[in-house]
Amino acid sequence: MHHVPPLAVRFCPPHCSDCRLRQTDAFTSVTPQQLAFIESFRSGVLAVSAGAAVIREYAPNGKLFTLYAGWAFRYKTLSDGRRQILNFVLPGDLVGLQQEFGDSAAHGVEAVTDCALCVFTGDRLWELFRTEPRLGYDITWLSARGESFVDDNLLTTGQRNATERVAMLLMHLYRRLERLGLAEGGSVPFPLNQQHIADALGLSLVHTNKTLRRLAKLGLHDIAHGRLRLPNPHALERLAEYYDQPARCVPLL
Amino acid sequence: MHHVPPLAVRFCPPHCSDCRLRQTDAFTSVTPQQLAFIESFRSGVLAVSAGAAVIREYAPNGKLFTLYAGWAFRYKTLSDGRRQILNFVLPGDLVGLQQEFGDSAAHGVEAVTDCALCVFTGDRLWELFRTEPRLGYDITWLSARGESFVDDNLLTTGQRNATERVAMLLMHLYRRLERLGLAEGGSVPFPLNQQHIADALGLSLVHTNKTLRRLAKLGLHDIAHGRLRLPNPHALERLAEYYDQPARCVPLL
DNA sequence: CGGACATTTGACAAGCTTCAAGAGAAGTGG
DNA sequence: CCACTTCTCTTGAAGCTTGTCAAATGTCCG
């Protein structure tokens, strides 16, 4: 009964012009020249099984990835095993920039579901900025957007209580998936287990469970068969103080 | 008895070539051409008094700022006043990128001490990427580094207990200031009050105070006369699981 | 059917928050 | 220069949110 995505979406197409993501209206359009550069910049594709590592913590590999299909997350751990999920990575997201730049200890990236990714080698990044400044600008855009997500999560983890945290996470993910066109019949795919949610919110597994149960009994969410439904999104938004952003095209590398 | 910085450091010099920050070894060097571009890109300077806003939350102004002197912080608040400090802004740091890009609700920036800042107008940012790709690359570098800091804070707030959080904050700030050459006689400037620390760590003021007292009694820190001293940095590092990064030049816009 | 793993629930402990109030430090105005 | 106000720091006590421990139930898969 496990939902197995059709093979077609599990691998990146050989040519970026056939990219399913670009055919949606969630991403900005590019010129043929830019598309050609992106395709030449891409050094390969990668398929990662659910639960496996895309980037190993403390072992940055100097590569950038655009997630094509599936779910993943960025995380950091402490030596005794405590793990913080920094944010969830959905199709179209770019990961690995901090590996290339950042001076802080690196984060890991792990696949939640089977994932398909486009791989870019970091050593050509400077060339990209030099020859295609527009793409460099876009990468900065994506980087700033990534930081915004982490800012939001830090506000959530630092200031909101358990109920508000769960409400925020559900709203945030629902809206992101909706914008990717992944909502169908009032629900979106939801492959996370409660441990993922707990690690993302800085809560214990048990307390996460109790909080989810409480919200479910109030009719604020319904997670079943790997899908999430929000029967009363406005109540959740109020609980979480979630402010919806106007839909907006994002760059895609 | 209040420490008043000499007037000279409180204002940006008219020419970037006279910038005190560039004369330290903490920042990467630039070509004369790049320096000229930066100076032309700079639309003005700004002096902000302690406690005043550099960027008002929810009122992004489309400007970028490089902090020249003083301390500031980025923050977000909830409607009932709960405030999360996202990270502290020290000399050389660039703020305002997310205002220009991010699709998430904006953050505010507030001065801790009197601050001097260089101002850049966001609408010329694309021109910068186009004509000086190296500077565009540097901005992306700074953006990724900024995200790394927030990643670290999220790990701290989500997973560490109160003692570890305080230890982490003190170590992190001490090392950053040290790299800026601001350590003197085994101590660094430290203008934060306990409310700042509490808001940065997601703790209540009272608990922050008790945790600080405990660490001070253990001889792990000493805050007095606006300066921070760490008599036993290695013990603090172990407590916080703080891993020192090799000193490294960072770009300066 | 059996084993591994995720979810659920209860009971108890602990860390952290809130409330309250006093002491100290710093700035203001007479 | 001193009284007064205001803000910050400090400490104690009580309560609540959240974490930990333990065990049962449910689900998936070989």
Side-chain angles (χ1 to χ4, degrees):
Chain A
M1 270 302 132
H2 192 61
H3 179 71
V4 176
L7 261 186
V9 265
R10 294 186 53 197
F11 296 100
C12 307
H15 295 293
C16 291
S17 52
D18 297 327
C19 181
R20 278 174 182 243
L21 294 176
R22 284 187 201 286
Q23 290 158 15
T24 72
D25 56 2
F27 300 96
T28 55
S29 54
V30 294
T31 67
Q33 181 191 343
Q34 285 163 349
L35 196 65
F37 186 91
I38 290 171
E39 188 162 328
S40 79
F41 183 46
R42 187 174 73 167
S43 70
V45 297
L46 180 67
V48 177
S49 304
V54 177
I55 299 175
R56 223 170 295 279
E57 206 183 358
Y58 305 119
N61 53 16
K63 290 186 177 127
L64 302 176
F65 302 91
T66 291
L67 183 60
Y68 179 69
W71 286 46
F73 59 86
R74 299 197 309 119
Y75 69 95
K76 278 174 165 274
T77 57
L78 296 174
S79 61
D80 63 359
R82 283 175 284 178
R83 176 175 77 170
Q84 177 67 39
I85 290 181
L86 302 168
N87 68 328
F88 290 101
V89 181
L90 298 183
D93 289 347
L94 179 69
V95 294
L97 253 192
Q98 285 124 318
Q99 317 288 337
E100 186 61 17
F101 288 117
D103 60 348
S104 252
H107 59 253
V109 176
E110 184 178 311
V112 176
T113 66
D114 290 349
C115 285
L117 305 102
C118 296
V119 186
F120 307 96
T121 46
D123 51 16
R124 287 188 62 202
L125 191 57
W126 166 232
E127 180 191 339
L128 177 146
F129 274 78
R130 201 157 26 82
T131 65
E132 288 288 344
R134 179 73 223 179
L135 297 180
Y137 189 84
D138 286 348
I139 286 179
T140 308
W141 200 103
L142 287 172
S143 174
R145 177 170 173 269
E147 182 168 346
S148 278
F149 283 157
V150 187
D151 286 352
D152 286 339
N153 289 341
L154 182 52
L155 173 64
T156 294
T157 299
Q159 303 297 329
R160 288 187 236 250
N161 63 30
T163 305
E164 295 166 339
R165 292 189 210 189
V166 170
M168 189 65 186
L169 182 83
L170 297 180
M171 278 312 309
H172 174 80
L173 287 173
Y174 193 95
R175 294 293 184 220
R176 280 179 72 191
L177 290 159
E178 196 173 45
R179 259 172 234 170
L180 287 171
L182 294 174
E184 279 176 30
S187 73
V188 295
F190 197 79
L192 304 182
N193 62 31
Q194 298 185 354
Q195 186 68 62
H196 289 125
I197 299 176
D199 288 349
L201 298 178
L203 295 172
S204 70
L205 176 62
V206 172
H207 199 65
T208 300
N209 174 281
K210 287 174 179 170
T211 307
L212 277 168
R213 290 293 67 239
R214 210 175 316 125
L215 289 180
K217 274 187 185 116
L218 292 171
L220 294 179
H221 77 85
D222 176 22
I223 299 173
H225 315 299
R227 297 193 70 89
L228 164 68
R229 177 184 312 274
L230 303 182
N232 192 348
H234 293 308
L236 260 195
E237 283 179 349
R238 259 176 282 125
L239 243 183
E241 277 189 47
Y242 176 92
Y243 298 112
D244 207 13
Q245 302 294 130
R248 184 173 166 181
C249 285
V250 305
L252 176 66
L253 192 67
Chain B
M1 267 331 211
H2 192 64
H3 178 70
V4 177
L7 261 187
V9 267
R10 294 186 53 197
F11 297 100
C12 306
H15 294 294
C16 290
S17 52
D18 297 326
C19 179
R20 278 172 181 244
L21 295 176
R22 283 187 201 285
Q23 289 159 16
T24 71
D25 56 3
F27 299 96
T28 55
S29 54
V30 294
T31 66
Q33 181 191 344
Q34 285 163 350
L35 195 65
F37 186 91
I38 290 171
E39 190 163 325
S40 80
F41 183 44
R42 187 174 72 166
S43 70
V45 298
L46 181 66
V48 177
S49 303
V54 177
I55 299 175
R56 224 170 294 280
E57 205 182 357
Y58 306 118
N61 53 16
K63 289 184 178 133
L64 302 176
F65 302 90
T66 290
L67 183 61
Y68 179 68
W71 286 45
F73 59 86
R74 298 198 307 119
Y75 70 94
K76 277 174 166 274
T77 57
L78 296 176
S79 61
D80 62 1
R82 284 175 285 178
R83 176 175 76 169
Q84 177 67 37
I85 290 182
L86 302 168
N87 68 328
F88 290 101
V89 182
L90 298 183
D93 289 347
L94 179 69
V95 294
L97 253 193
Q98 286 125 315
Q99 317 287 338
E100 186 59 19
F101 288 119
D103 59 347
S104 250
H107 59 255
V109 177
E110 183 178 312
V112 177
T113 66
D114 290 350
C115 284
L117 305 103
C118 297
V119 186
F120 307 96
T121 45
D123 52 15
R124 287 187 60 203
L125 191 58
W126 165 232
E127 178 191 340
L128 178 146
F129 273 79
R130 202 157 26 82
T131 64
E132 288 289 343
R134 178 74 222 178
L135 296 179
Y137 189 82
D138 286 348
I139 285 179
T140 309
W141 200 102
L142 287 171
S143 173
R145 177 169 173 271
E147 181 167 348
S148 278
F149 284 156
V150 186
D151 286 351
D152 286 340
N153 289 342
L154 181 52
L155 173 64
T156 293
T157 299
Q159 303 297 328
R160 289 186 237 250
N161 63 32
T163 306
E164 295 166 338
R165 291 189 212 190
V166 170
M168 188 66 187
L169 182 82
L170 296 179
M171 279 311 309
H172 174 81
L173 287 173
Y174 193 95
R175 294 294 184 219
R176 280 179 72 189
L177 291 159
E178 196 174 45
R179 259 173 234 169
L180 288 171
L182 294 174
E184 278 176 30
S187 72
V188 294
F190 197 80
L192 303 183
N193 61 31
Q194 297 185 354
Q195 187 68 64
H196 289 124
I197 299 177
D199 288 349
L201 298 178
L203 294 172
S204 70
L205 176 61
V206 172
H207 200 63
T208 301
N209 174 281
K210 289 174 178 169
T211 307
L212 277 167
R213 291 295 62 240
R214 210 176 316 126
L215 288 180
K217 275 188 184 117
L218 291 172
L220 293 179
H221 78 86
D222 177 22
I223 299 173
H225 315 299
R227 298 193 68 86
L228 165 68
R229 179 184 311 276
L230 302 182
N232 191 349
H234 293 309
L236 260 195
E237 284 180 350
R238 258 175 284 124
L239 243 183
E241 277 189 47
Y242 176 91
Y243 299 112
D244 207 13
Q245 302 294 129
R248 184 172 167 182
C249 285
V250 304
L252 177 65
L253 192 67

